Every structure is written in structure tokens, then in C-alpha cells.
């Protein structure tokens, strides 16, 4: 037993000094969630400096190596305003679409609405949407995306205009004083294993990336743009928000970019906010089989044995510390494992406490419809897998509590 332990430690050291992590099958089994405050080589993290200078970079490397693939490099952006309406929603907001380019030869469109007449710059939600910018507002100038879209036809049409206004609730966010910026991630990387386009063909061949990493990259490019809007958007109050696969995306985006002040991954489930070692809802094997383009090749090697994953999703949350994180859920959405998600927050709590940043102030899941608004926050409502006005009310409340009005 001891020999085995020493042997595996030796392999780990050897692999590390060779500049790489071991093959998934050579990682030690650990049925419990790995302690985020212990380095890959077993060293305990005892100071905040060690957390920020050593353990955080190591966790970022581990998540990219074993799960999400590499987030494409940041090379700055160019932004071009496509159209603007300074009197949107009856004069309450300015609405514009901006073409953003962060890879030569590629662009995607960001839709942004900013409340008019505020004395101070607004806090801003940013995140990817499922159905195209034109489905979120009635303005006929908001372009119908030409990228591949879900559904039988595989493309967006004029018929969808304004159709999903009640998922993003742009006007209601404006009324509450928030700006919102959103894009269709299919313009960055189509959500299919067999359709390419977007940025991937333009990236270096040796870079192993994934859809989730590319979409997170795009969230970062939106932040590049938002921080230039000093009059309109407060660069210290940017909140990443997304639903489901796009919730996985915004959690990853926040974990890797400290300019994001808060993150709200809604019903993100497996590969996002639920434990990979979890026993309820979607498993690592199921998600890898159905969506092979979301995660990298190494991640598939954990299909039969998640106990070898050298982290779990609480460590992705820990990468966000000391920033606030809210996990909203729906009771009927057991596929996303709401109870397991609460355990993920519990397991991230020690890192928040270690950094004197508060944490999860409850031992049990709060009652339906009642927001637990501690630094690590949780919300569960009745109903199904969806993004609703009730969810947005929790988002606004949580954002106002932690970032101010
Ligand atoms: C599927 C998938 C989930 C994902 C969800 C979504 O249900 O299994 O992992 O979160 O789609 O993105 O809506």
C-alpha cells in the first residue's frame, strides 16, 4: 500500500518535472472531493499568497488539461458599432449591436442595452444566449444570425424575432437599473461535434480547445469591450450569467477572469456546477457521449471512473474566490443535480473562509423561492429547466446585495 502510494507520488513528480500532468489512468483514485487547499504534489496551501500565486494557476492548468481544453489566447479586440438606438424601450435605454473581433478574420455580434439617465455607470450582466440576439428584442435592426442554430432547419429566421424576450428580460433589467450584454455563441463555435466554423479553424492546430472554452473566450472578449464603456458600464460590476451549457460557460469564464465581479451559472449541472463525482442526474459519461465537443479528450478517460479526476467542480468555484457566486436551480430539473450543486458550494466554502471572504451561510438548501444571499449563494424555485423572470429577480437581488445598486 505504502509502496503504491510512494510510486504514484513518484509518477506525479516525474510527470510534473517533465512539464506535463500524468495520463488520466495514472492518476490516483480519490472517491472524495479533492481538497482545493492542497497542491497537486500534496503540499498544503497555508498562505493567501500561496493560493493566488501557486494553487490558482495550478488549478487553471489542471482544468484546461483534464477537462475544458485550452481557452484560446487573448489578443485584444476590435469593436465596431453596427447600429444604435438611443431611445430603446420607449426611451428608457440605449440599445446597440457591436461587432467584436478577437481573432483576425472572425467576428461575432454583441447586443447591449444600457439604462438611460443614470447618474453613475450601471452594473452589467454579460453572457451567451441560446437563440440569437434577434430573439431577445423587437428592434428590426438586431440582425438574424447566419450561424448554425438548433432546430430542424439549422438556421435562424425572421420568425424568431422577439420570441425569447421573457428568457433574458432585457427591459425588466433596464427598469431595475442594470445593463445587459449578450451574444449568440454559435457565431463563436457552433454547438455541434460535426459542424465547424467560428474561431476554431483560425486557431493554431496544436491548440486543443473545446466549445465551452471557446464560448468562455468570447465572454472574455465581451468584457474587453465592456470595460471601455466607462460612462455606461461600471467595470467593477460585471456579472457573467448563462443558462445550462451556457451556465457551465460563464462559470468557467469567471473562474479564469477576475474582471468578472460575480457569476450566476443557472442550472448548469454536470460539467459546470454539479459534482463530477455526483450520483444524481447527468453523469460524466453521459455528457461526454452526447456532447463530445464540450470537453477535451482527457475528460473522456474519466467516463468509467470519475474518482481519478484531480479536482471537482468546487475548485472551479474556488477559483472565483473572493467574488460572489450564485447557483440558481429548479426543483424539477434533477438532471442538473440541485442538491449536488449545494454540496459543491459547501466544498468551495473553505477556500472562501481561508481568504476571509465569507462563504456559504447555510447548512441546508433554502426553501423554494427563497434566495440564500451569502457570498456563495443558492436559489431553488419550483418548476423546470428554464430561465425565467423569477430567476432574474433572484439575480438582481443577489447583484444588488453584493455589488450595490
Ligand atoms: C442537456 C445536457 C446538459 C445541459 C443542457 C442544456 O440536457 O445534458 O448538460 O446543461 O442540455 O444546455 O440545456
Amino acid at each position: 500500500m505504502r509502496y503504491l502510494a510512494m510510486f504514484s507520488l513518484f509518477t506525479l513528480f516525474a510527470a510534473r518535472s517533465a512539464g506535463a500532468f500524468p495520463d488520466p489512468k495514472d492518476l490516483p483514485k480519490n472517491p472524495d472531493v479533492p481538497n482545493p487547499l492542497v497542491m497537486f504534489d500534496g503540499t498544503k496551501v497555508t498562505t493567501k499568497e500561496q493560493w493566488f500565486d501557486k494553487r490558482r494557476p495550478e488549478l487553471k492548468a489542471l482544468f484546461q488539461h483534464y477537462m475544458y481544453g485550452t481557452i484560446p489566447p487573448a489578443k485584444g479586440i476590435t469593436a465596431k458599432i453596427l447600429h444604435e438606438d438611443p431611445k430603446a424601450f420607449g426611451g428608457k435605454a440605449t440599445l446597440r449591436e457591436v461587432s467584436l473581433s478577437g481573432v483576425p478574420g472572425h467576428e461575432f455580434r454583441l447586443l447591449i442595452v444600457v439604462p438611460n439617465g443614470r447618474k453613475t455607470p450601471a452594473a452589467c450582466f454579460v453572457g451567451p444566449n441560446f437563440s440569437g440576439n434577434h430573439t431577445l428584442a423587437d428592434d428590426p435592426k438586431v440582425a438574424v444570425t447566419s450561424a448554425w442554430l438548433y432546430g430542424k432547419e439549422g438556421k435562424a429566421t425572421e420568425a424568431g424575432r422577439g420570441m425569447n424576450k421573457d428568457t433574458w428580460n432585457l427591459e425588466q433589467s433596464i427598469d431595475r437599473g442594470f445593463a445587459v450584454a449578450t451574444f449568440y455563441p454559435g457565431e463563436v463555435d457552433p454547438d455541434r461535434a460535426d459542424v465547424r466554423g467560428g474561431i476554431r479553424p483560425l486557431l493554431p492546430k496544436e491548440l486543443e480547445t473545446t466549445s465551452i472554452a471557446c464560448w468562455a473566450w468570447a465572454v472574455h472578449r465581451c468584457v474587453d469591450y465592456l470595460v471601455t464603456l466607462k460612462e455606461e458600464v461600471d467595470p467593477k460590476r460585471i456579472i457573467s450569467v448563462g443558462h445550462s451549457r451556457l451556465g457551465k460557460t460563464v462559470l468557467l469564464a469567471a473562474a479564469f477572469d477576475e474582471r468578472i465581479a460575480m457569476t450566476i451559472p443557472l442550472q448548469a449541472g454536470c460539467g459546470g456546477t454539479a459534482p463530477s463525482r455526483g450520483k444524481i442526474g447527468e453523469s460524466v459519461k453521459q455528457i461526454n457521449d452526447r456532447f463530445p465537443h464540450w470537453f477535451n479528450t482527457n475528460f473522456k478517460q474519466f467516463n468509467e471512473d470519475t474518482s481519478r479526476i484531480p479536482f471537482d467542480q468546487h475548485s472551479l468555484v474556488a477559483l472565483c474566490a473572493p467574488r460572489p457566486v450564485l447557483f440558481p436551480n429548479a426543483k424539477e430539473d434533477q438532471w442538473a443535480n440541485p442538491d449536488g450543486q449545494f454540496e459543491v458550494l459547501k466544498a468551495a466554502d473553505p477556500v472562501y473562509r481561508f481568504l476571509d471572504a465569507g462563504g456559504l451561510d447555510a447548512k441546508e438548501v433554502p426553501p423554494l423561492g427563497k434566495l440564500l444571499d451569502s457570498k456563495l449563494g443558492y436559489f431553488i424555485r419550483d418548476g423546470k429547466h428554464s430561465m425565467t423572470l423569477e430567476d432574474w429577480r433572484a439575480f438582481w437581488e443577489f447583484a444588488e446585495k453584493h455589488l450595490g445598486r
Side-chain angles (χ1 to χ4, degrees), residues 19-40:
F21 294 116
D23 199 77
K25 66 174 175 359
D26 298 327
L27 290 166
K29 278 175 176 280
N30 184 358
D32 304 322
V33 289
N35 184 345
L37 291 168
V38 174
M39 301 277 303
F40 193 69

Side-chain angles (χ1 to χ4, degrees), residues 96-98 100 108-112 133 181-183 222 225:
R96 73 174 77 93
E97 261 191 313
V98 185
L100 296 181
F108 67 102
R109 284 189 318 270
L110 179 72
L111 170 67
I112 172 162
N133 296 346
T182 180
F183 64 97
C222 297
Y225 171 71

Side-chain angles (χ1 to χ4, degrees), residues 57-78:
E58 179 178 80
L59 276 171
K60 283 172 150 187
L62 287 166
F63 272 108
Q64 291 184 96
H65 184 79
Y66 289 114
M67 187 170 184
Y68 295 108
T70 307
I71 300 187
K75 300 232 166 105
I77 46 147
T78 54

